[in-house]
Amino acid sequence: MSGLWITFEGGDGSGKTTQASLLEEWLRASGRTVVRTREPGGTEVGMLVRDIVLHHRGDIAPRAEALLYAADRAHHVATLVRPALARGEVVIQDRYLDSSVAYQGEGRVLDADEIRNLSLWATEGALPDVTVLLDLDPAAARARLDADDKPFDRLEAEKADFHGRVRTAFLALAAAEPDRFLVLDATLPPAELAAAVRERVAGRLA
Ligand code: TYD
């Protein structure tokens, strides 16, 4: 049995974790061995990197930030993902290099191709078999979350603008690699999304 590598991508709060869990349950019930992991932070070294990129107070230079995500990724793919795939297991992963291209690429400092190539260098060209993009309008997501209608302040507006650009970047990545990506409307009921994910994965396992 050969392994299969599935990644979940999308904005914050798009339901990646829920869908990853539903897929994991289904695969385990059908007798597959599943490794559930994430970036940043899928390994011990990765947890240290995650702490820096997500919790460090104050700025990190954009190139340093991109290298930190790539360092996490390099170690994660070499020590966890590739060995699991070689054992014939299914790897289900929250976020991969598409997140770097979308988030670091939309910071307006670094070029998206450079970031992608940096990650491909870090992982010796590793790309998932299936990438599920849970697409969600960040404005709608926010509106659903908080009901009050006070106007955005400048910083909030900037943040909303950034998340809109991240969404556009994810959709462009999906359009460029339709074979790898499955794009789903994240506002659909979770059970419906899970069925669509299962269908794609079942096709690749067959
Ligand atoms: P994650 O752990 O998925 O948090 P959440 O559950 O809030 O989505 O991701 C943490 C953050 O890290 C998320 O805002 C996206 C960001 N990120 C990057 O900017 N670049 C990357 O390469 C990765 C993997 C994540």
Side-chain angles (χ1 to χ4, degrees):
M1 231 191 295
S2 64
L4 195 78
W5 186 16
I6 303 144
T7 58
F8 284 83
E9 298 282 4
D12 303 323
S14 57
K16 293 186 298 298
T17 309
T18 303
Q19 288 305 320
S21 298
L22 290 172
L23 179 63
E24 179 183 8
E25 267 171 40
W26 177 72
L27 284 164
R28 283 194 198 282
S30 63
R32 300 290 305 221
T33 302
V34 178
V35 174
R36 180 71 186 283
T37 188
R38 66 168 177 182
E39 288 185 9
T43 61
E44 248 178 75
V45 169
M47 284 304 290
L48 298 171
V49 177
R50 182 182 175 92
D51 199 41
I52 301 172
V53 286
L54 299 184
H55 302 130
H56 172 73
R57 302 215 162 265
D59 283 345
I60 301 177
R63 280 168 195 272
E65 188 191 37
L67 284 163
L68 285 165
Y69 281 115
D72 166 70
R73 187 159 295 138
H75 188 71
H76 185 227
V77 167
T79 66
L80 195 142
V81 177
R82 281 193 194 275
L85 294 174
R87 292 192 300 268
E89 298 171 3
V90 179
V91 177
I92 301 178
Q93 180 174 329
D94 271 34
R95 297 194 184 281
Y96 186 53
L97 93 183
D98 303 298
S99 276
S100 276
V101 177
Y103 284 86
Q104 277 66 63
E106 290 315 307
R108 283 190 171 140
V109 181
L110 302 174
D111 176 77
D113 279 339
E114 277 181 341
I115 292 167
R116 183 184 163 86
N117 288 334
L118 176 68
S119 275
L120 288 174
W121 177 81
T123 62
E124 299 178 90
L127 282 173
D129 299 294
V130 176
T131 297
V132 179
L133 173 59
L134 293 167
D135 177 52
L136 186 63
D137 174 11
R142 200 202 134 91
R144 277 198 313 191
L145 287 175
D146 71 20
D148 53 64
D149 56 356
K150 65 181 180 357
F152 278 6
D153 64 27
R154 192 184 56 80
L155 205 73
E156 283 174 325
E158 247 172 42
K159 268 198 218 154
D161 181 53
F162 173 74
H163 288 297
R165 282 186 279 124
V166 168
R167 180 197 191 194
T168 305
F170 272 131
L171 289 171
L173 288 168
E177 286 180 79
D179 211 48
R180 172 162 69 94
F181 273 90
L182 172 66
V183 183
L184 297 173
D185 173 354
T187 62
L188 290 172
E192 215 171 297
L193 292 168
V197 173
R198 282 199 301 270
E199 193 186 322
R200 172 65 70 100
V201 170
R204 295 300 155 107
L205 283 170

